[in-house]
């Protein structure tokens, strides 16, 4: 079971319990979970062969919104921390210690808003003192990483366009919010995602209209190898690992 599926199952269990009133709050627990995930994704540090992400998170809520979560705060914080740990493991990220999530009442935050603060924090002294990196397998690791080197090559009437892959997560699509914007009617606004995980590059489809293909085969997610041809609804790019 994926981290997201298990987290959703936990949310369903809460609804079936005596805290259903929580879900009448303007802010849903799943929203906080998504914002935590976004904070983890957006605050990556790449060095050597590892991708470091924050392990200490604070979810700031307006005091009135915070009140709805107080009866289940401890369980919810624990479950959200567990969700982030599993998510990091699935995506090949490294944390310097097991994640911690804290819900905070903050009058500076507008009502119905969520502000997430994520930091890389060393292990507290009572947990062992020194920093201990937790890798994708859950085992303690040491050492420093190196940024992945790869290119996507787009062929047009004007010639070859070599696009360096500089991020561990690269969103591809027609929309202006993507890292790589492809102005082609065959490409969806949010089409695919290229991710560097566990020392490999992976391409995944993001519910596109015309599909994502690797060497002619339709894929939901596929590891890429040097020379693979990625097609986004018919627009082709060659993947080249340096």
């Amino acid at each position: 079971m994926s981290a997201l599926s298990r987290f959703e199952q936990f949310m369903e269990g809460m609804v079936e319990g005596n805290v259903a009133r929580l879900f009448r709050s303007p802010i849903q627990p799943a929203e906080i979970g998504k914002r935590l995930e976004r904070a983890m994704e957006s605050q990556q540090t790449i060095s050597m062969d590892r991708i470091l992400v924050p392990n200490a998170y604070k979810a700031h809520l307006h005091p009135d919104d915070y009140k709805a979560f107080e009866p289940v705060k401890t369980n919810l914080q624990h479950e959200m921390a567990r969700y982030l740990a599993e998510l990091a493991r699935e995506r090949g990220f490294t944390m310097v210690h097991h994640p911690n999530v804290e819900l905070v009442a903050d009058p500076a935050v507008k009502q119905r808003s969520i502000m997430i603060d994520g930091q890389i924090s060393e292990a507290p002294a009572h947990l062992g003192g020194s920093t201990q990196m937790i890798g994708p397998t859950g085992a303690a690791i040491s050492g420093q990483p190196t940024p992945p080197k790869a290119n996507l090559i787009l062929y047009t009437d004007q010639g070859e366009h070599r696009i360096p892959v500089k991020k561990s997560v690269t969103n591809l699509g027609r929309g202006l919010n993507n890292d790589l914007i492809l102005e082609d009617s065959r490409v969806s606004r949010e089409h695919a995602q290229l991710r560097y995980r566990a020392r490999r590059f992976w391409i995944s489809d993001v519910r596109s209209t015309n599909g994502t293909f690797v060497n002619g085969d339709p894929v939901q997610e596929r590891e890429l190898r040097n020379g693979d041809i990625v097609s986004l609804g018919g627009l082709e790019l060659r993947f080249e690992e340096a």
Side-chain angles (χ1 to χ4, degrees):
M1 182 183 293
S2 70
L4 179 59
S5 297
R6 211 190 59 72
F7 184 66
E8 289 175 342
Q9 190 178 73
F10 172 79
M11 292 297 115
E12 290 172 6
M14 290 184 69
V15 173
E16 293 170 0
N18 297 321
V19 292
R21 65 183 181 81
L22 175 64
F23 291 81
R24 292 196 292 271
S25 166
I27 296 176
Q28 304 299 304
E31 290 180 64
I32 301 176
K34 289 177 183 176
R35 291 293 300 275
L36 289 166
E37 176 185 351
R38 197 178 307 162
M40 181 176 71
E41 288 276 6
S42 65
Q43 297 183 57
Q44 300 176 24
T45 301
I46 303 174
S47 55
M48 296 288 285
D49 60 349
R50 311 207 196 286
I51 303 170
L52 297 175
V53 293
N55 61 298
Y57 297 84
K58 287 186 179 180
H60 297 256
L61 307 171
H62 186 276
D64 290 343
D65 296 328
Y66 173 82
K67 286 178 184 176
F69 294 94
E70 276 192 298
V72 291
K73 175 182 173 181
T74 301
N75 287 341
L76 199 56
Q77 289 178 158
H78 174 78
E79 191 61 29
M80 287 179 173
R82 184 176 174 184
Y83 168 57
L84 290 177
E86 292 182 359
L87 203 61
R89 191 157 50 244
E90 285 179 4
R91 297 181 181 181
F93 296 152
T94 295
M95 292 180 169
V96 299
H97 203 270
H98 295 287
N100 178 71
V101 175
E102 183 181 357
L103 300 182
V104 178
D106 187 344
V109 177
K110 292 182 180 179
Q111 210 163 356
R112 302 187 179 185
S113 296
I114 307 167
M115 188 179 76
I116 303 295
D117 175 31
Q119 297 182 359
I120 295 176
S121 175
E122 293 190 359
H126 70 278
L127 292 177
S130 60
T131 299
Q132 183 184 45
M133 292 189 183
I134 306 301
T137 63
I141 57 177
S142 61
Q144 302 251 333
T146 243
K149 294 181 180 179
N151 296 289
L152 289 172
I153 301 171
L154 175 66
Y155 297 95
T156 69
D157 294 339
Q158 288 73 44
E160 177 183 301
H161 298 270
R162 187 174 295 269
I163 306 161
V165 179
K166 297 181 178 180
K167 299 173 64 178
S168 59
V169 178
T170 302
N171 293 306
L172 301 87
R174 200 160 32 88
L176 297 178
N177 59 321
N178 290 285
D179 301 299
L180 175 54
I181 302 169
L182 300 163
E183 296 181 345
D184 189 294
S185 60
R186 296 168 293 179
V187 178
S188 296
R189 291 186 62 80
E190 296 179 354
H191 198 111
Q193 187 176 81
L194 181 64
R195 182 186 298 277
Y196 183 71
R197 183 177 77 225
R199 304 186 188 184
R200 297 287 186 273
F201 285 93
W202 302 76
I203 189 77
S204 59
D205 186 76
V206 188
R207 298 183 295 279
S208 66
T209 300
N210 295 323
T212 299
F213 302 78
V214 175
N215 300 329
D217 297 326
V219 299
Q220 286 302 313
E221 184 177 58
R222 172 79 65 85
E223 178 186 345
L224 292 179
R225 299 182 184 279
N226 190 41
D228 280 349
I229 302 298
V230 176
S231 171
L232 305 180
L235 179 68
E236 293 187 344
L237 304 100
R238 184 161 62 87
F239 174 76
E240 184 181 85
E241 208 161 2

